[in-house]
Amino acid sequence: MTTAATIAAEPATDAEALAHPFLRSLTALIRAQDRFGAWEKKPDEELLAPFIVDKEARKLIPIVGDPDPDLLARLEWFYGAVALQVEKQTGVMSAPMMKMSHEGFGRMVVTAGRLLVINKHLRDVHRFGFLSLVKLAVEGQKMVDDAAAWIAKYPQVAAE
């Protein structure tokens, strides 16, 4: 078991980001959903490519829109990776839960025991994405560290 003080170094490049523990967990979760081996030979960069939405691509996404099933799967994988890293970092089992309307508004929570370690209101999820793999790794790790801090603050509640 590691502690919140054992935090991965912030990656400087997309190549370094691929080795970051958060992105390793995210790609592992994505590969676990590959029931027929279609993604088996794909490199991690290709699996993570849908999470990257640069400024030009974001401009092309309408302000109002409904999320498609693939995007909702990516959202669940992202928060699933957060929960997995929280568990690895703290030793406390964590689980994500999402409630989403067809219009892309909803809530994502991550629990650890009886403790709510992440409470995120989601809106405009059809625009979900990050500028780069570095941003994806950094934002994911920020959520992990914040959740681990809550567990450290309330360990008895997290253990129940």
Side-chain angles (χ1 to χ4, degrees):
M1 176 171 94
T2 58
T3 64
T6 313
I7 298 171
E10 192 170 302
T13 65
D14 280 354
E16 287 179 17
L18 287 170
H20 190 278
F22 179 77
L23 292 191
R24 302 296 303 156
S25 289
L26 181 56
T27 54
L29 285 176
I30 293 169
R31 289 187 187 283
Q33 298 301 315
D34 183 20
R35 295 178 193 99
F36 303 107
W39 302 332
E40 192 173 297
K41 295 186 191 233
K42 287 187 178 184
D44 291 348
E45 302 93 317
E46 193 173 336
L47 293 178
L48 296 172
F51 288 89
I52 307 307
V53 181
D54 63 16
K55 290 180 181 181
E56 297 304 315
R58 192 171 305 275
K59 286 180 185 177
L60 299 175
I61 300 172
I63 299 293
V64 177
D66 296 340
D68 64 16
D70 291 338
L71 187 132
L72 293 175
R74 285 194 302 274
L75 195 62
E76 288 180 345
W77 289 334
F78 176 80
Y79 284 97
V82 169
L84 181 59
Q85 280 303 109
V86 167
E87 189 170 337
K88 285 180 180 179
Q89 195 165 307
T90 65
V92 177
M93 189 166 60
S94 303
M97 292 180 279
M98 181 173 72
K99 177 69 175 165
M100 183 68 55
S101 76
H102 70 281
E103 296 171 328
F105 296 94
R107 180 182 228 167
M108 174 64 75
V109 296
V110 176
T111 61
R114 291 179 179 248
L115 183 64
L116 189 66
V117 293
I118 294 176
N119 179 17
K120 181 82 172 160
H121 292 277
L122 302 171
R123 52 183 283 184
D124 302 331
V125 297
H126 67 287
R127 303 182 88 186
F128 175 74
F130 301 87
L131 293 175
S132 66
L133 291 176
V134 171
K135 292 286 187 191
L136 174 59
V138 168
E139 291 302 315
Q141 189 62 48
K142 279 183 189 175
M143 289 188 161
V144 170
D145 294 340
D146 186 48
W150 281 106
I151 291 170
K153 188 172 183 177
Y154 300 102
Q156 186 176 2
V157 180
E160 289 183 17

